[in-house]
Amino acid sequence: MCNAAKPWLYVKRSIGSAVAGSKKGQIPFERLPGPWALPVLGPINDAVRLGNPKTFLIVFHQHQLFSLHLTVSNYHRKFGPIFRIKISQANAVFIKDPEMMRSVFVYEGKYPKHPLPESWTYFNQKHKCKRGLFLCKYIFEIKVQYNSLMLFRDDEEWFKYRKLLNPLMMRDTDWMVLPIQRMCEKAVQSLSEGVTKDNPSYEIQNIESTLYKWSIEVILCIMLGNSYNTTNMAKLNTLVNDFSRTVHTIFQYSSELMMIPPHLADCLQLSAWKKFERLVPETLALANKIIDISLDDIERGDGLLSKMQDCIASRDDIKRIFADLIIAAGDTTSFSMIWCFYLLGRHQILQDQIRSGIYENFKSPHPLVIGTVREALRMFPVAPFIGRILKKDAVIGEYSIPKHTLVLLSLYSAGRDETNFHSPEEFLPQRWIRNNDQSCSFSPFKSHASLPFAIGSRSCIGRKIAQNQMHTLLAMVLKKYRLSVLNEQEIFPELKMITVPNEKLRLSLENCSIWLLK
C-alpha cells in the first residue's frame, strides 16, 4: 500500500443568492465556508489497489472515523469557527466558538433531537421494531427495541419522564454518596488486588473491563441502594460480568459501522455487522434478566428504584428507564476515568498535592480532583461532538441556519483552542480553581468552551452521578497509591464512537506507605 499522504478533495463553493428568509445583515447559509464533503479520494485509491470491497470499507472507516476529531480541527483552522459540510445527503454545521455553541441550545426546542447511528436505525427497520426510547448518550445514542424491552425516549414521552427524573437525579443527590462510595471501594480493591507487602508495586490488569464493571455497578447500587448487598451482588455477579462484556463489545462494533452504510454491511455480511446483529438481542436479554431479578427477587431498598416506584406506576416504564441507565453508564464514565488516570500518572507532583488534602470521608472532593476531571474532559472529551437538530430557523454568529440542520459542537477542537484556554495542550487542572492567586495566569479561560455534559433541557441526566463517582474513585486511589504510566510512547485519542486511547493504557499502582519510606 502506498504510504504517501492521501490527497483531499475540495470543491470551491459558488457564492449563491441569499437563502429564503435571511434578513438584512445576516449572511445566507449558502455562504457558509467549508468543503463539500468528507475526503474520499485517498480511500478510493486504496480500494482500487486492494480490489476488495470489504477491505475498502475497513480502510475507509479507519482513515475517516478514528481521526475525525483531527479532521474537523483541521477544517476549523482552514475555514474558521463555523463551517458546513456534506455528510451523505445532508448538510451539517460544525461550531467551535463557545458563544456560538451556547446559542445552539436556544434553538433545540422543547423536545431536542439528536443524530442517530445508521446501524441502529437500520437494525430497527430490519427487525420491525416500532417503538424506541431516547436517552442522551452525548452525541451517539441507541434507538432499538427487542422483544418487550424499549430503550430510548423522545418527544412528549421523553419530556414526561425527564421531568420526573430531574428532581431525583439532578437536584437533591446527597443520597447517592454512600452507594457510590461503596462501589468505589470495591473497585479500588479490584484495581489493587496485586499490591502486597512483598509486591508494593503492581501493574493493573484488565483496567478497562474493571472500570467498565465499576461504572455499571455504581448504577446498580444507586438503583437498589442498601439492597445491593453482598448476597444480592452474588445473585447478579455473573449477569453483570456478561452484560459489561457485551455492552462494551457492542459499542466497539457500532464504531466500526459508523462510516459504512448498514444495508451495505448487511449485504456484504461484514463481520462487524454480523456480530453487532447477534449481540444486540443478547445484550438486551441480559439487561432484562438483571432488571427482573432486581425487581422480583431483591427486597425494596432505599435507592433510585424505590423512589421511581413511588412516582411511576408502570412496571414496564420503570424497566425501560432502568435499562436506559445501565446501558448508557458503561463506556462514557469508564473511559473518562482512564483519561484521568493517564494524565495523573504522568504528573507525580500533582498527585502528591492532591494526596495531602484528601479528606477521610471523601465527602468534599479536593479542588484539584475536581479540576483533574474537568481538565481530562476538556482535553479528551469522551464525546468529541455534541449534536442538535435545529427545530427552527436560527441565527448563529452572523449566519442564517435553516431549521432541520444538523449542528455539531466541536468539543475537542474548542477545548484545544488557544483562544479559549491558556496552553491548551498542557494538563493544568489548577486552571479550574477560580478563587486562587494563580487564576489570572491561566488567561484566556473560557469554561463554556468545554461542555462535556451539554447544557439545556437535554443535558446529560447522569452528570452528577458521573462526576461524583469519578471524584470519589480518584480520591480513594490517590489516598493509598501512587500512579505511574508504563507506556513507552505518548497516548493519543482516537474516535471509536467515543474518545478512547490509541493503545492500551498500562498503569502501575505503588503503595504510598512503602513509597514514602524510600
Side-chain angles (χ1 to χ4, degrees), residues 20 56 91 106 149 194 218-219 228 252 262 282 297 325 333 337 339 367 392 401 417 444 468 495:
F56 159 62
N91 278 304
V106 175
L149 181 61
V218 165
I219 295 297
Y228 195 59
Q252 288 180 329
E282 181 181 333
D297 297 343
L325 292 173
T333 309
M337 199 72 239
W339 288 119
K392 56 184 177 180
I401 313 293
D417 191 332
N468 194 319
L495 183 57

Side-chain angles (χ1 to χ4, degrees), residues 137-154:
K137 187 172 177 65
Y138 301 101
I139 181 176
F140 298 110
E141 299 164 302
I142 305 173
K143 179 190 178 186
V144 62
Q145 177 213 357
Y146 200 85
N147 295 332
S148 63
L149 181 61
M150 183 168 67
L151 282 177
F152 302 104
R153 301 180 188 270
D154 212 0

Side-chain angles (χ1 to χ4, degrees), residues 195-211:
V195 179
T196 63
K197 183 178 180 180
D198 296 329
N199 185 34
S201 182
Y202 166 74
E203 181 176 350
I204 300 173
Q205 304 299 307
N206 304 315
I207 184 172
E208 198 172 295
S209 58
T210 300
L211 291 176

Side-chain angles (χ1 to χ4, degrees), residues 135-313:
L135 177 72
C136 176
K137 187 172 177 65
Y138 301 101
I139 181 176
F140 298 110
E141 299 164 302
I142 305 173
K143 179 190 178 186
V144 62
Q145 177 213 357
Y146 200 85
N147 295 332
S148 63
L149 181 61
M150 183 168 67
L151 282 177
F152 302 104
R153 301 180 188 270
D154 212 0
D155 296 333
E156 292 89 348
E157 189 180 26
W158 164 80
F159 188 71
K160 170 186 173 182
Y161 289 101
R162 180 66 189 237
K163 284 203 304 182
L164 290 173
L165 290 173
N166 274 345
L168 301 177
M169 298 182 66
M170 300 289 283
R171 293 172 194 161
D172 179 16
T173 57
D174 288 345
W175 62 273
M176 296 181 183
V177 171
L178 288 179
I180 288 173
Q181 286 186 3
R182 286 173 55 207
M183 291 303 101
C184 287
E185 288 169 355
K186 185 172 181 284
V188 172
Q189 291 175 0
S190 297
L191 291 168
S192 61
E193 61 183 0
V195 179
T196 63
K197 183 178 180 180
D198 296 329
N199 185 34
S201 182
Y202 166 74
E203 181 176 350
I204 300 173
Q205 304 299 307
N206 304 315
I207 184 172
E208 198 172 295
S209 58
T210 300
L211 291 176
Y212 214 90
K213 184 179 179 182
W214 158 73
S215 187
I216 291 171
E217 285 199 310
V218 165
I219 295 297
L220 286 172
C221 196
I222 284 174
M223 292 296 293
L224 299 175
N226 55 17
S227 292
Y228 195 59
N229 51 34
T230 303
T231 301
N232 291 325
M233 282 183 198
K235 288 183 183 180
L236 294 172
N237 186 61
T238 299
L239 287 173
V240 170
N241 285 335
D242 291 343
F243 180 78
S244 300
R245 173 184 53 80
T246 57
V247 171
H248 186 40
T249 306
I250 207 169
F251 281 108
Q252 288 180 329
Y253 291 129
S254 295
S255 73
E256 292 184 26
L257 295 167
M258 283 297 293
M259 295 295 285
I260 303 170
H263 64 279
L264 185 57
D266 188 12
C267 180
L268 292 172
Q269 282 295 282
L270 297 183
S271 175
W273 172 259
K274 289 192 293 185
K275 292 174 181 177
F276 172 83
E277 195 170 26
R278 174 180 58 82
L279 281 171
V280 168
E282 181 181 333
T283 302
L284 298 180
L286 286 168
N288 243 336
K289 288 180 182 178
I290 291 171
I291 296 164
D292 283 337
I293 291 173
S294 299
L295 289 170
D296 297 331
D297 297 343
I298 295 177
E299 64 276 13
R300 177 168 170 165
D302 59 351
L304 181 59
L305 184 60
S306 176
K307 299 177 190 298
M308 286 167 53
Q309 288 172 322
D310 289 337
C311 62
I312 300 174

Side-chain angles (χ1 to χ4, degrees), residues 45-78:
N45 289 339
D46 287 336
V48 172
R49 187 167 14 263
L50 293 167
N52 185 329
K54 293 187 180 183
T55 308
F56 159 62
L57 290 173
I58 294 170
V59 171
F60 180 82
H61 158 65
Q62 291 177 338
H63 180 87
Q64 285 290 110
L65 185 60
F66 288 179
S67 61
L68 184 60
H69 55 296
L70 300 178
T71 300
V72 169
S73 290
N74 288 333
Y75 282 154
H76 277 302
R77 281 189 285 271
K78 183 179 180 69

